Amino acid sequence: MRHALAEAAQAALTGDVPVGAVLLGPDGSLLATGHNEREATGDPTAHAEVLAIRRAAAALGEWRLSGCTLVVTLEPCTMCAGALVQSRIGRVVYGARDEKAGAAGSLWDVVRDRRLNHRPEVVAGVLEEACSAQLTAFFRAL
């Protein structure tokens, strides 16, 4: 999670909401990183999770990321939760809950919806205070 927090800090430098993600392979090796780049690129889909998933798939040459773990500083939104399910990621670990847009247990629970064909394990609240503090500081400075 500390690596994801460092990624999140990079997002804030370009005016993006500080969310960072790292994607680990089944063996725990670092496959890819990402941080929000919506403001930097003008791409509404440039969320940290989506960018890390794209980069990991490119690195592996495979869209299926079975057995991989995504670590992200903020609970994934519905778009990112859908990407997690579609890429077959085995586990998502997140820091801060997102009561307004979270889709891994807070507002919705897309990733564990029994109607879907894949449901990753969810681990919530890892370094939650540090993740929340980074987001709070960003929004207070606006």
Side-chain angles (χ1 to χ4, degrees):
M1 185 61 78
R2 294 193 195 290
H3 195 134
L5 281 162
E7 278 294 316
Q10 294 298 310
L13 296 175
T14 59
D16 276 287
V17 175
V19 177
V22 296
L23 213 147
L24 306 172
D27 63 354
S29 64
L30 180 65
L31 293 177
T33 63
H35 57 266
N36 278 0
E37 296 181 19
R38 292 186 309 170
E39 298 297 332
T41 63
D43 178 357
T45 68
H47 287 204
E49 302 95 310
V50 170
L51 295 173
I53 289 168
R54 287 177 184 163
R55 292 170 183 154
L60 292 175
E62 170 71 53
W63 66 266
R64 287 179 192 88
L65 301 177
S66 301
C68 293
T69 298
L70 180 77
V71 179
V72 60
T73 59
L74 180 65
E75 180 180 359
C77 70
T78 54
M79 176 182 68
C80 295
L84 288 163
V85 170
Q86 292 301 314
S87 62
R88 309 301 194 265
I89 287 175
R91 177 182 306 116
V92 59
V93 176
Y94 71 84
R97 291 174 55 89
D98 187 348
E99 299 293 339
K100 294 180 181 177
S106 291
L107 186 58
W108 295 288
D109 203 353
V110 172
V111 295
R112 291 179 284 206
D113 189 318
R114 293 187 182 276
R115 296 168 292 182
L116 299 175
N117 64 333
H118 177 74
R119 290 178 297 283
E121 175 187 357
V122 176
V123 178
V126 175
L127 292 180
E128 183 172 12
E129 281 188 33
C131 294
S132 294
Q134 191 176 48
L135 288 159
T136 299
F138 174 80
F139 286 112
R140 282 195 178 142
L142 290 181

